[in-house]
């Protein structure tokens, strides 16, 4: 890396992440490993991803083979056993370079949750080692076109037929739809809230198909498309948990993995926004001095920096509590809300600082803004997070998933030693 390269300028201009109480030297090493990989393997591919808008199959597989999808999988199943804070750092560092690849990793790590929380021992031993090795990319599929975020409004069905179930229907906005090997599908097996069940559906089963990939506003290279089930037959052994536990599978995965994962994507994009904008303010001159010498610019940069520091603190605090097995649903909601809103606000400030130059694709700032908007809806919009936080304030919330499943999410305990963990190969 030459002293005047774009990469070195970015790293001098805001690229150093502050050390937090929650992180250790091991986490710093992990961050360095992921950042070096992202700069070496991901950044050179971004231009093609943006131009083609095609699904980045090969890059997704390359990232999976680093072992990072298995960051929260127990070592007994071949995973890293490193916890949710480590997961946040991995996603954050990938999203700093490519929001699309940060989203890819978060979507498959979200797909891991249902197996950890509700899989039986045979399902865990069958799938978790393959996921940890990068040979299988899992997803979770809940949303339907007609019902959207109203989970109980879904109409796709699974009908028992002897030792099998027959699935019919569809799912939309499925993260990693077109690269996924194992889809965790929630469908109707009965009426009402107790009539939802979850199943593991292999992508090569007869009766399974994908709608054509549709490029979206941002996250080019990532797929979040439509799955179609047409008399798809699966064995009853593929059911996750008992019949009627589908709502629990959906909600627990979204709250305990979805919200912190998407928080991390926003955090990485936010970091990139600050780095790119600070570099511009150092390099570009106005009135015979660097743009950053203007007080009006310093104020905007100061707000961006403050937002980023606050957002990262909220993100790390929430997953630190999750790793300890402590109740933290409210902290996870707040982190998702704060990180998305802060990233979008800072991206807006960055576009204003860049002016007309920010509108062109030779600079990444417009990509960061497009990518940041994609994080709004999944795992609950900002309004949903605020509604739930309001219920917490009023004492009317309906319990905490982090408390109910604490025996499964407590991955790194209070007596954790750094020498017990080794970063996955970069």
């Amino acid at each position: 890396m030459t002293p005047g390269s774009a990469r070195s300028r970015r790293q001098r201009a805001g690229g150093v992440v502050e050390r937090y109480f929650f992180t250790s030297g091991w986490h710093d090493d992990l961050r360095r490993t992921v950042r070096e990989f992202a700069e070496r393997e991901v950044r050179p591919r971004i231009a093609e991803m943006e131009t083609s808008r095609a699904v980045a199959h090969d890059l997704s597989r390359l990232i999976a083979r680093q072992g990072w999808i298995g960051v929260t999988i127990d070592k007994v199943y071949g995973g890293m056993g490193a916890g949710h804070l480590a997961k946040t750092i991995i996603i954050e560092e990938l999203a700093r370079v490519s929001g699309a690849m940060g989203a890819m990793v978060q979507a498959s790590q979200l797909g891991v949750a249902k197996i950890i929380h509700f899989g039986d021992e045979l399902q865990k031993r069958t799938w978790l080692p393959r996921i940890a090795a990068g040979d299988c990319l899992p997803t979770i599929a809940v949303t339907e076109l007609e019902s959207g975020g109203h989970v109980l409004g879904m109409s796709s069905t699974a009908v028992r037929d002897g030792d099998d179930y027959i699935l019919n229907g569809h799912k939309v906005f499925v993260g990693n739809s077109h690269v996924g090997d194992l889809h965790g599908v929630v469908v109707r097996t009965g009426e009402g809230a107790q009539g939802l069940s979850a199943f593991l559906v292999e992508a090569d089963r007869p009766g399974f198909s994908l709608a054509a990939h549709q490029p979206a506003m941002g996250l080019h290279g990532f797929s979040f498309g439509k799955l179609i089930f047409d008399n798809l037959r699966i064995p009853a052994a593929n059911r996750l948990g008992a019949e009627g536990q589908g709502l629990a599978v959906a909600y627990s995965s979204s709250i305990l993995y979805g919200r912190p994962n998407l928080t991390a994507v926003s955090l990485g994009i936010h970091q990139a926004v600050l780095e790119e904008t600070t570099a511009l303010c150092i390099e570009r001159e106005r009135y015979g001095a660097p743009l950053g010498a203007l007080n009006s610019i310093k104020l905007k940069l100061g707000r961006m920096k403050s937002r980023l520091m606050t957002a990262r603190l909220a993100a790390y605090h929430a997953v630190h509590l999750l790793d300890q097995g402590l109740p933290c649903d409210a902290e996870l909601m707040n982190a998702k809300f704060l990180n998305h809103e802060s990233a979008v606000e800072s991206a807006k400030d960055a576009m204003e600082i860049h002016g007309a130059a920010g509108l062109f694709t030779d600079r990444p700032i417009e990509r960061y803004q497009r990518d940041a908007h994609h994080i709004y809806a999944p795992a609950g919009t900002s309004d949903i997070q605020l509604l739930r936080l309001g219920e917490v304030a009023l004492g009317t919330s309906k319990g905490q998933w982090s408390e109910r499943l604490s025996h499964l999410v407590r991955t790194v305990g209070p007596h954790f030693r750094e020498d017990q963990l080794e970063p996955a190969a970069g």
Side-chain angles (χ1 to χ4, degrees):
M1 181 176 67
T2 61
S5 69
R7 178 182 168 193
S8 69
R9 290 195 299 271
R10 275 192 301 271
Q11 292 184 343
R12 289 199 308 272
V16 176
V17 174
E18 293 85 356
R19 183 71 176 274
Y20 286 78
F21 164 78
F22 313 108
T23 59
S24 66
W26 182 87
H27 290 108
D28 294 342
D29 290 342
L30 176 64
R31 183 187 302 280
R32 191 175 305 110
T33 297
V34 181
R35 180 171 291 199
E36 289 174 355
F37 173 91
E39 292 287 353
R40 182 179 68 250
E41 301 292 347
V42 179
R43 195 177 293 281
R45 292 172 165 89
I46 290 175
E48 193 279 330
M49 289 160 60
E50 288 296 307
T51 301
S52 71
R53 298 190 173 193
V55 181
H57 290 274
D58 292 343
L59 182 55
S60 297
R61 296 291 172 182
L62 176 62
I63 293 172
R65 288 197 296 272
Q66 306 310 303
W68 297 325
I69 308 297
V71 62
T72 60
I73 294 175
D74 194 285
K75 287 186 174 184
V76 72
Y77 302 112
M80 293 172 64
H84 293 270
L85 178 53
K87 171 164 61 69
T88 293
I89 290 170
I90 290 169
I91 298 171
E92 174 191 355
E93 286 299 324
L94 289 168
R96 170 186 167 270
V97 172
S98 166
M101 290 301 99
M104 187 283 295
V105 169
Q106 79 80 23
S108 273
Q109 288 173 337
L110 172 59
V112 168
K114 63 189 182 295
I115 303 176
I116 292 177
H117 296 161
F118 292 91
D120 60 32
E121 189 58 29
L122 178 59
Q123 290 167 338
K124 290 179 179 179
R125 292 194 177 278
T126 299
W127 294 110
L128 293 181
R130 294 179 59 187
I131 294 168
D135 297 328
C136 173
L137 285 172
T139 78
I140 190 163
V142 178
T143 305
E144 296 181 7
L145 196 58
E146 293 79 10
S147 54
H150 177 44
V151 176
L152 291 178
M154 71 172 62
S155 59
S156 295
T157 60
V159 177
R160 188 71 183 249
D161 183 32
D163 292 332
D164 297 333
Y165 284 87
I166 300 175
L167 274 62
N168 281 286
H170 76 277
K171 296 293 173 181
V172 295
F173 311 138
V174 178
N176 282 346
S177 53
H178 287 61
V179 298
D181 304 296
L182 183 70
H183 302 286
V185 179
V186 179
V187 292
R188 283 221 161 272
T189 51
E191 299 297 323
Q194 301 304 314
L196 301 182
S197 301
F199 299 88
L200 295 172
V201 177
E202 302 92 337
D204 58 357
R205 280 197 176 271
F208 175 87
S209 62
L210 292 164
H213 170 63
Q214 289 185 296
M217 177 176 72
L219 298 182
H220 299 149
F222 176 60
S223 62
F224 55 108
K226 183 177 182 179
L227 316 183
I228 302 168
F229 318 117
D230 183 9
N231 289 323
L232 187 154
R233 183 179 291 271
I234 57 171
N238 279 34
R239 190 184 65 221
L240 278 167
E243 271 202 18
Q245 284 193 302
L247 192 63
V249 171
Y251 281 177
S252 63
S253 298
S254 175
I255 292 168
L256 300 182
Y257 273 69
R259 284 172 180 164
N261 289 6
L262 292 158
T263 293
V265 177
S266 291
L267 184 57
I269 295 171
H270 200 166
Q271 177 70 36
V273 166
L274 179 65
E275 290 180 26
E276 190 68 29
T277 307
T278 307
L280 175 82
C281 292
I282 293 171
E283 297 165 5
R284 179 159 294 185
E285 290 196 357
R286 284 294 183 272
Y287 313 112
L291 184 61
L294 296 173
N295 284 340
S296 58
I297 299 298
K298 287 179 185 176
L299 286 171
K300 282 188 181 292
L301 288 175
R303 280 194 293 267
M304 292 165 65
K305 179 67 173 177
S306 176
R307 286 191 203 109
L308 179 60
M309 293 174 69
T310 304
R312 180 173 283 115
L313 185 60
Y316 287 9
H317 177 234
V319 290
H320 172 74
L321 294 175
L322 191 59
D323 277 335
Q324 305 302 317
L326 298 172
C328 58
D329 285 30
E331 285 81 1
L332 294 170
M333 295 172 204
N334 181 58
K336 203 266 182 177
F337 166 77
L338 188 63
N339 272 269
H340 167 72
E341 296 293 320
S342 296
V344 169
E345 283 296 312
S346 287
K348 177 177 178 290
D349 283 344
M351 288 292 290
E352 291 175 356
I353 291 173
H354 278 74
L359 301 174
F360 292 90
T361 57
D362 61 332
R363 289 184 175 274
I365 205 69
E366 55 85 31
R367 168 167 62 91
Y368 299 151
Q369 186 168 50
R370 288 186 285 107
D371 289 352
H373 280 290
H374 276 254
I375 311 305
Y376 174 73
T381 66
S382 292
D383 284 348
I384 289 295
Q385 311 305 330
L386 291 176
L387 283 170
R388 297 293 174 259
L389 286 169
E391 291 169 357
V392 171
L394 292 168
T396 58
S397 59
K398 300 175 182 177
Q400 301 198 55
W401 282 104
S402 53
E403 198 166 27
R404 295 181 205 178
L405 298 177
S406 62
H407 62 294
L408 295 174
V409 299
R410 186 175 185 270
T411 51
V412 181
H415 304 296
F416 159 71
R417 298 195 317 275
E418 291 180 28
D419 60 3
Q420 293 175 317
L421 298 172
E422 298 176 2

